[in-house]
mmCIF file of all heavy atoms in Angstrom:
data_model
loop_
_atom_site.group_PDB
_atom_site.id
_atom_site.type_symbol
_atom_site.label_atom_id
_atom_site.label_comp_id
_atom_site.label_asym_id
_atom_site.label_seq_id
_atom_site.Cartn_x
_atom_site.Cartn_y
_atom_site.Cartn_z
ATOM 1 N N GLY K 1 13.762 15.298 -8.108
ATOM 2 C CA GLY K 1 12.786 16.324 -7.762
ATOM 3 C C GLY K 1 11.521 15.826 -7.101
ATOM 4 O O GLY K 1 10.594 16.601 -6.887
ATOM 5 N N VAL K 2 11.458 14.548 -6.737
ATOM 6 C CA VAL K 2 10.238 13.952 -6.191
ATOM 7 C C VAL K 2 10.596 13.069 -5.005
ATOM 8 O O VAL K 2 11.492 12.221 -5.102
ATOM 9 C CB VAL K 2 9.494 13.100 -7.248
ATOM 10 C CG1 VAL K 2 8.217 12.519 -6.660
ATOM 11 C CG2 VAL K 2 9.204 13.914 -8.499
ATOM 12 N N LEU K 3 9.893 13.250 -3.885
ATOM 13 C CA LEU K 3 10.043 12.350 -2.741
ATOM 14 C C LEU K 3 8.668 12.143 -2.128
ATOM 15 O O LEU K 3 8.071 13.079 -1.593
ATOM 16 C CB LEU K 3 11.019 12.928 -1.701
ATOM 17 C CG LEU K 3 11.598 11.938 -0.672
ATOM 18 C CD1 LEU K 3 12.842 12.529 -0.011
ATOM 19 C CD2 LEU K 3 10.597 11.553 0.397
ATOM 20 N N PHE K 4 8.153 10.915 -2.260
ATOM 21 C CA PHE K 4 6.848 10.573 -1.688
ATOM 22 C C PHE K 4 7.024 9.534 -0.591
ATOM 23 O O PHE K 4 7.927 8.687 -0.658
ATOM 24 C CB PHE K 4 5.893 10.064 -2.772
ATOM 25 C CG PHE K 4 5.053 11.162 -3.383
ATOM 26 C CD1 PHE K 4 5.656 12.243 -4.003
ATOM 27 C CD2 PHE K 4 3.673 11.118 -3.328
ATOM 28 C CE1 PHE K 4 4.903 13.264 -4.565
ATOM 29 C CE2 PHE K 4 2.905 12.134 -3.877
ATOM 30 C CZ PHE K 4 3.515 13.210 -4.496
ATOM 31 N N ASN K 5 6.132 9.594 0.382
ATOM 32 C CA ASN K 5 6.266 8.823 1.609
ATOM 33 C C ASN K 5 5.446 7.537 1.582
ATOM 34 O O ASN K 5 4.500 7.401 0.813
ATOM 35 C CB ASN K 5 5.815 9.696 2.796
ATOM 36 C CG ASN K 5 6.369 9.222 4.116
ATOM 37 O OD1 ASN K 5 7.308 8.441 4.164
ATOM 38 N ND2 ASN K 5 5.784 9.694 5.196
ATOM 39 N N GLY K 6 5.809 6.603 2.470
ATOM 40 C CA GLY K 6 5.009 5.411 2.694
ATOM 41 C C GLY K 6 3.871 5.714 3.653
ATOM 42 O O GLY K 6 3.402 6.851 3.761
ATOM 43 N N CYS K 7 3.411 4.708 4.389
ATOM 44 C CA CYS K 7 2.296 4.899 5.308
ATOM 45 C C CYS K 7 2.518 4.075 6.562
ATOM 46 O O CYS K 7 3.363 3.175 6.589
ATOM 47 C CB CYS K 7 0.978 4.519 4.650
ATOM 48 S SG CYS K 7 0.820 2.750 4.303
ATOM 49 N N LEU K 8 1.743 4.366 7.597
ATOM 50 C CA LEU K 8 1.854 3.632 8.853
ATOM 51 C C LEU K 8 0.960 2.388 8.891
ATOM 52 O O LEU K 8 1.357 1.379 9.479
ATOM 53 C CB LEU K 8 1.541 4.561 10.030
ATOM 54 C CG LEU K 8 2.462 4.431 11.245
ATOM 55 C CD1 LEU K 8 3.912 4.637 10.852
ATOM 56 C CD2 LEU K 8 2.069 5.452 12.310
ATOM 57 N N PRO K 9 -0.242 2.392 8.279
ATOM 58 C CA PRO K 9 -1.068 1.178 8.337
ATOM 59 C C PRO K 9 -0.447 -0.003 7.605
ATOM 60 O O PRO K 9 -0.604 -1.147 8.026
ATOM 61 C CB PRO K 9 -2.380 1.606 7.678
ATOM 62 C CG PRO K 9 -2.417 3.080 7.819
ATOM 63 C CD PRO K 9 -0.988 3.529 7.721
ATOM 64 N N GLY K 10 0.245 0.239 6.494
ATOM 65 C CA GLY K 10 0.841 -0.856 5.738
ATOM 66 C C GLY K 10 -0.145 -1.525 4.793
ATOM 67 O O GLY K 10 -1.188 -0.965 4.435
ATOM 68 N N TYR K 11 0.161 -2.740 4.413
ATOM 69 C CA TYR K 11 -0.601 -3.516 3.428
ATOM 70 C C TYR K 11 -2.033 -3.702 3.919
ATOM 71 O O TYR K 11 -2.282 -4.221 5.004
ATOM 72 C CB TYR K 11 0.079 -4.863 3.249
ATOM 73 C CG TYR K 11 -0.363 -5.667 2.054
ATOM 74 C CD1 TYR K 11 -0.389 -5.124 0.783
ATOM 75 C CD2 TYR K 11 -0.723 -7.011 2.215
ATOM 76 C CE1 TYR K 11 -0.766 -5.885 -0.310
ATOM 77 C CE2 TYR K 11 -1.085 -7.790 1.127
ATOM 78 C CZ TYR K 11 -1.115 -7.227 -0.134
ATOM 79 O OH TYR K 11 -1.486 -7.985 -1.210
ATOM 80 N N SER K 12 -2.990 -3.281 3.084
ATOM 81 C CA SER K 12 -4.392 -3.277 3.510
ATOM 82 C C SER K 12 -5.251 -4.147 2.602
ATOM 83 O O SER K 12 -4.806 -4.638 1.564
ATOM 84 C CB SER K 12 -4.927 -1.848 3.494
ATOM 85 O OG SER K 12 -5.014 -1.364 2.161
ATOM 86 N N GLU K 13 -6.522 -4.291 2.986
ATOM 87 C CA GLU K 13 -7.474 -5.053 2.175
ATOM 88 C C GLU K 13 -7.646 -4.397 0.806
ATOM 89 O O GLU K 13 -7.771 -5.082 -0.203
ATOM 90 C CB GLU K 13 -8.832 -5.131 2.880
ATOM 91 C CG GLU K 13 -8.790 -5.687 4.282
ATOM 92 C CD GLU K 13 -8.627 -4.625 5.347
ATOM 93 O OE1 GLU K 13 -8.153 -3.511 5.017
ATOM 94 O OE2 GLU K 13 -8.968 -4.905 6.505
ATOM 95 N N TYR K 14 -7.648 -3.059 0.781
ATOM 96 C CA TYR K 14 -7.821 -2.348 -0.488
ATOM 97 C C TYR K 14 -6.634 -2.610 -1.409
ATOM 98 O O TYR K 14 -6.808 -2.881 -2.606
ATOM 99 C CB TYR K 14 -7.963 -0.850 -0.213
ATOM 100 C CG TYR K 14 -8.261 -0.028 -1.445
ATOM 101 C CD1 TYR K 14 -9.563 0.135 -1.902
ATOM 102 C CD2 TYR K 14 -7.229 0.577 -2.161
ATOM 103 C CE1 TYR K 14 -9.832 0.886 -3.031
ATOM 104 C CE2 TYR K 14 -7.499 1.324 -3.298
ATOM 105 C CZ TYR K 14 -8.803 1.472 -3.732
ATOM 106 O OH TYR K 14 -9.068 2.199 -4.863
ATOM 107 N N ALA K 15 -5.415 -2.524 -0.858
ATOM 108 C CA ALA K 15 -4.222 -2.754 -1.672
ATOM 109 C C ALA K 15 -4.193 -4.185 -2.209
ATOM 110 O O ALA K 15 -3.776 -4.424 -3.345
ATOM 111 C CB ALA K 15 -2.970 -2.483 -0.847
ATOM 112 N N ARG K 16 -4.656 -5.121 -1.392
ATOM 113 C CA ARG K 16 -4.580 -6.529 -1.785
ATOM 114 C C ARG K 16 -5.694 -6.915 -2.760
ATOM 115 O O ARG K 16 -5.437 -7.509 -3.811
ATOM 116 C CB ARG K 16 -4.676 -7.417 -0.540
ATOM 117 C CG ARG K 16 -4.599 -8.899 -0.845
ATOM 118 C CD ARG K 16 -4.695 -9.761 0.403
ATOM 119 N NE ARG K 16 -4.569 -11.160 0.032
ATOM 120 C CZ ARG K 16 -5.592 -11.910 -0.368
ATOM 121 N NH1 ARG K 16 -6.813 -11.387 -0.424
ATOM 122 N NH2 ARG K 16 -5.405 -13.166 -0.720
ATOM 123 N N ALA K 17 -6.950 -6.574 -2.412
ATOM 124 C CA ALA K 17 -8.085 -7.077 -3.180
ATOM 125 C C ALA K 17 -8.492 -6.167 -4.333
ATOM 126 O O ALA K 17 -8.992 -6.653 -5.349
ATOM 127 C CB ALA K 17 -9.284 -7.285 -2.248
ATOM 128 N N ARG K 18 -8.287 -4.863 -4.198
ATOM 129 C CA ARG K 18 -8.713 -3.945 -5.244
ATOM 130 C C ARG K 18 -7.578 -3.540 -6.169
ATOM 131 O O ARG K 18 -7.727 -3.513 -7.392
ATOM 132 C CB ARG K 18 -9.334 -2.693 -4.607
ATOM 133 C CG ARG K 18 -10.610 -2.946 -3.840
ATOM 134 C CD ARG K 18 -11.772 -3.285 -4.762
ATOM 135 N NE ARG K 18 -12.057 -2.189 -5.668
ATOM 136 C CZ ARG K 18 -12.827 -1.157 -5.370
ATOM 137 N NH1 ARG K 18 -13.392 -1.086 -4.173
ATOM 138 N NH2 ARG K 18 -13.059 -0.200 -6.241
ATOM 139 N N MET K 19 -6.415 -3.199 -5.587
ATOM 140 C CA MET K 19 -5.292 -2.744 -6.391
ATOM 141 C C MET K 19 -4.406 -3.894 -6.877
ATOM 142 O O MET K 19 -3.746 -3.780 -7.910
ATOM 143 C CB MET K 19 -4.437 -1.769 -5.582
ATOM 144 C CG MET K 19 -5.167 -0.499 -5.158
ATOM 145 S SD MET K 19 -5.553 0.577 -6.541
ATOM 146 C CE MET K 19 -3.927 1.179 -6.976
ATOM 147 N N ARG K 20 -4.364 -4.990 -6.097
ATOM 148 C CA ARG K 20 -3.507 -6.140 -6.420
ATOM 149 C C ARG K 20 -2.039 -5.720 -6.566
ATOM 150 O O ARG K 20 -1.330 -6.151 -7.476
ATOM 151 C CB ARG K 20 -3.983 -6.838 -7.698
ATOM 152 C CG ARG K 20 -5.329 -7.524 -7.550
ATOM 153 C CD ARG K 20 -5.288 -8.647 -6.541
ATOM 154 N NE ARG K 20 -6.583 -9.339 -6.421
ATOM 155 C CZ ARG K 20 -6.850 -10.307 -5.547
ATOM 156 N NH1 ARG K 20 -5.903 -10.684 -4.697
ATOM 157 N NH2 ARG K 20 -8.027 -10.869 -5.509
ATOM 158 N N VAL K 21 -1.614 -4.872 -5.623
ATOM 159 C CA VAL K 21 -0.222 -4.435 -5.645
ATOM 160 C C VAL K 21 0.611 -5.340 -4.746
ATOM 161 O O VAL K 21 0.086 -6.070 -3.898
ATOM 162 C CB VAL K 21 -0.089 -2.966 -5.174
ATOM 163 C CG1 VAL K 21 -0.815 -2.049 -6.127
ATOM 164 C CG2 VAL K 21 -0.633 -2.796 -3.768
ATOM 165 N N ALA K 22 1.921 -5.299 -4.925
ATOM 166 C CA ALA K 22 2.820 -6.122 -4.122
ATOM 167 C C ALA K 22 2.786 -5.653 -2.668
ATOM 168 O O ALA K 22 2.723 -4.460 -2.400
ATOM 169 C CB ALA K 22 4.246 -6.028 -4.661
ATOM 170 N N PRO K 23 2.821 -6.580 -1.713
ATOM 171 C CA PRO K 23 2.837 -6.190 -0.295
ATOM 172 C C PRO K 23 4.035 -5.305 0.017
ATOM 173 O O PRO K 23 5.144 -5.539 -0.457
ATOM 174 C CB PRO K 23 2.935 -7.530 0.441
ATOM 175 C CG PRO K 23 2.443 -8.542 -0.533
ATOM 176 C CD PRO K 23 2.839 -8.045 -1.886
ATOM 177 N N SER K 24 3.784 -4.263 0.805
ATOM 178 C CA SER K 24 4.846 -3.350 1.205
ATOM 179 C C SER K 24 4.723 -3.109 2.701
ATOM 180 O O SER K 24 3.630 -2.830 3.200
ATOM 181 C CB SER K 24 4.721 -2.026 0.446
ATOM 182 O OG SER K 24 5.708 -1.116 0.853
ATOM 183 N N PRO K 25 5.816 -3.228 3.444
ATOM 184 C CA PRO K 25 5.739 -3.043 4.895
ATOM 185 C C PRO K 25 5.475 -1.585 5.259
ATOM 186 O O PRO K 25 5.847 -0.676 4.507
ATOM 187 C CB PRO K 25 7.117 -3.485 5.377
ATOM 188 C CG PRO K 25 8.012 -3.252 4.209
ATOM 189 C CD PRO K 25 7.187 -3.528 2.989
ATOM 190 N N PRO K 26 4.841 -1.333 6.391
ATOM 191 C CA PRO K 26 4.600 0.047 6.821
ATOM 192 C C PRO K 26 5.912 0.773 7.068
ATOM 193 O O PRO K 26 6.813 0.241 7.715
ATOM 194 C CB PRO K 26 3.799 -0.115 8.113
ATOM 195 C CG PRO K 26 4.110 -1.489 8.593
ATOM 196 C CD PRO K 26 4.340 -2.307 7.370
ATOM 197 N N SER K 27 6.021 1.991 6.532
ATOM 198 C CA SER K 27 7.278 2.726 6.660
ATOM 199 C C SER K 27 7.026 4.226 6.609
ATOM 200 O O SER K 27 6.001 4.687 6.127
ATOM 201 C CB SER K 27 8.255 2.338 5.541
ATOM 202 O OG SER K 27 7.772 2.800 4.285
#
């Protein structure tokens, strides 16, 4: 019942330095 999308910019400074999430390619 759930489908969420990726993004076009891809791995960002916020994702890396603030969220510390695993790198994900833009999709």
Side-chain angles (χ1 to χ4, degrees):
V2 181
L3 198 162
F4 268 59
N5 201 16
C7 68
L8 223 56
Y11 194 52
S12 68
E13 305 92 339
Y14 185 85
R16 180 180 182 274
R18 295 289 299 275
M19 298 291 289
R20 293 296 182 184
V21 297
S24 178
S27 68

